[in-house]
Amino acid sequence: MTAVGIDAIEIWTGKLKLDLAETFAPEKGEDPEKYTKGLGLHASSFPDAHEDIVTMGANAAKRLMDRKGLTPDDIGRIDVATESAFDNSKPVSTYIAGCLEQVYDGDFHHANKGERKFACIAGTQSLDDAYNWIKAGRNRGRSALVVATDTALYARGDPGEATQGAGAVAMLISEDPSLVELSTDQGYGSADETDFLKPNQQFPSVDGKRSMQVYLARMREALEDYESVAGASHPDDFAYIPFHTPFPGMVRKAGLLGYRHMIRNTTVEEELAEEIGLQPREEDYEDREAYEEAIRDHMDDLKSTAEYREWYGEVIEPTLSIARQVGNWYTGSVHIARASALKSAAEAGLDLADKRLLVGSYGSGAQAEIHAETVQDGWKDEIEQLNVDDQIDSRYDLSFEEYENVHDRHNHDKTIEMEDFTVPEEEFVFTGRGRMNERLYDYVA
Ligand code: COA
């Protein structure tokens, strides 16, 4: 059977940076360590005046097409995942195709285009759509371009303001992929939840604490569903577990929950029992409340054990390096977690071919999805092409007043003129609006 999966990946970060410890925390009168240690974030990326979800997505896609030597004829499908769309009818993928047609010979007229929406999980759903399209034999030898692009902005003063971010991830989904093969082992945890939503408004209505509980509850449900097809999972089965990362502190909780679940009834649980006891079993407690309290105490003990800390350091921590510098990219977030992990393995000289990843995606509203992937032979050559560190380092460092201007500039209800902080070069830029209020773009050579 032909392998299908991610052949190539490219990342484009918004070109501005808000330093959370140095710039944001002092203005908010908060301890910088709330951000760097508690949330696990050092900085957020923001879009410059000439950037938006279209330019960031098109710029990531162009880097990917150039690097792979692709022409529009090689692409049979363009799906954009976003929760920052500015149009209820015309999909962002048409704008991105229009941008790319400015710079390539040929066109995307025979490519199927769409837009996926389910909060942050839509990027992974778009990967699934592409996988299914290829597996169904409808791709005529062509690849799918999946672009996850977002400007994750919250209303000023909202607790979510600390976890903003902006950037795009472009992925090429192909037969015989170089990076990872997707598997059919997949599980879902999905329920009608009210944790984060944007009822025709730009900035989210969010119940942050609730969203963290829902993330964990749905992720656990997805893991159980995954195991019902793939069999019981063990912490040693996977080289890395990239999770959706709204902020690394969320993944700290998800990693612990996953580990506790995976070691239950294994020799790892038995060995740890000498130090921290066996995991509480619900049937041993009078009521749910007493059981949950015992679980919380046990988790506190578990996270301090050397075994857990070593596993977390190897399997989870490497997935967080990019997120710590750029914040939440919504639909792209789990895909930068995978890229962070592979990049760290390449830097450490590890041989990952044939190793497996377990990928945990989440979208508020709410749905979690867990699936397995197998790293392919060409992974290292592919991942070494990323220049994300250079992009992160060359962002313009905003003062707090400048940040407020940038936030206003990207507020759809305000019309704020703002000078660019960076000089566009070899990239698509937003140039204004046309007669039907459509957005206009140019390529700056
Ligand atoms: N040093 C170290 N850690 C500190 C600290 C300090 N000085 N001050 C606070 N912290 C820790 C807190 O203990 C907490 O960690 P914990 O949850 O492990 O206990 C963490 O930093 C965050 O602090 P908290 O007071 O809970 O932050 P908050 O009330 O401002 O809100 C969110 C945090 C995540 C709820 C908020 O940013 C939000 O709503 N984000 C958007 C929604 C979201 O991303 N949800 C995730 C699911 S998709």
Side-chain angles (χ1 to χ4, degrees), residues 412-437:
H412 296 169
D413 294 333
K414 294 187 178 176
T415 318
I416 306 283
E417 286 308 317
M418 187 184 93
E419 291 293 311
D420 286 331
F421 289 98
T422 60
V423 181
E425 198 183 337
E426 295 186 4
E427 65 188 86
F428 296 102
V429 295
F430 168 69
T431 56
R433 291 171 184 276
R435 88 191 152 86
M436 290 171 73
N437 206 22

Side-chain angles (χ1 to χ4, degrees), residues 386-401:
L386 289 180
N387 73 343
V388 60
D389 290 337
D390 293 343
Q391 290 187 41
I392 286 173
D393 290 346
S394 56
R395 289 173 301 175
Y396 176 88
D397 193 358
L398 295 164
S399 69
F400 193 78
E401 293 70 34

Side-chain angles (χ1 to χ4, degrees), residues 52-108:
D52 67 9
I53 51 172
V54 172
T55 64
M56 294 189 299
N59 286 323
K62 179 171 182 301
R63 278 187 57 84
L64 186 148
M65 288 186 63
D66 286 350
R67 184 152 72 63
K68 300 298 273 189
L70 300 172
T71 68
D73 283 346
D74 298 315
I75 307 292
R77 192 179 168 105
I78 305 179
D79 285 309
V80 170
T82 186
E83 47 188 304
S84 321
F86 44 77
D87 193 308
N88 286 324
S89 178
K90 182 174 159 61
V92 171
S93 49
T94 57
Y95 280 104
I96 289 183
C99 285
L100 296 172
E101 284 171 354
Q102 291 184 32
V103 295
Y104 294 110
D105 290 336
D107 58 54
F108 295 95

Side-chain angles (χ1 to χ4, degrees), residues 131-281:
Y131 175 91
N132 295 340
W133 170 72
I134 295 174
K135 281 283 181 183
R138 296 175 122 183
N139 60 319
R140 299 184 237 154
R142 297 173 299 171
S143 299
L145 180 61
V146 167
V147 181
T149 181
D150 272 298
T151 46
L153 298 183
Y154 290 77
R156 293 227 291 282
D158 187 291
E161 197 183 6
T163 63
Q164 300 179 104
V169 179
M171 291 171 280
L172 191 71
I173 317 307
S174 306
E175 295 171 46
D176 297 320
S178 297
L179 202 60
V180 291
E181 177 186 2
L182 300 177
S183 90
T184 50
D185 290 342
Q186 189 180 41
Y188 292 98
S190 189
D192 177 11
E193 299 274 11
T194 307
D195 56 333
F196 171 114
L197 56 159
K198 296 182 179 180
N200 286 330
Q201 64 198 42
Q202 183 187 5
F203 301 133
S205 299
V206 55
D207 181 341
K209 302 288 180 209
R210 174 92 191 117
S211 75
M212 294 168 71
Q213 290 165 351
V214 175
Y215 176 121
L216 296 175
R218 303 282 78 85
M219 201 63 86
R220 184 212 321 258
E221 212 170 52
L223 183 55
E224 286 166 357
D225 193 40
Y226 166 82
E227 289 182 329
S228 75
V229 282
S233 45
H234 187 279
D236 296 341
D237 290 348
F238 304 102
Y240 297 105
I241 306 187
F243 280 107
H244 168 54
T245 311
F247 54 95
M250 184 71 239
V251 173
R252 203 166 54 221
K253 295 179 202 297
L256 185 61
L257 185 104
Y259 188 81
R260 173 169 68 89
H261 178 93
M262 288 194 272
I263 63 168
R264 197 173 305 144
N265 300 322
T266 69
T267 51
V268 181
E269 186 190 11
E270 273 170 38
E271 281 156 24
L272 284 172
E274 285 178 27
E275 196 182 333
I276 59 168
L278 288 172
Q279 293 182 18
R281 303 306 203 251

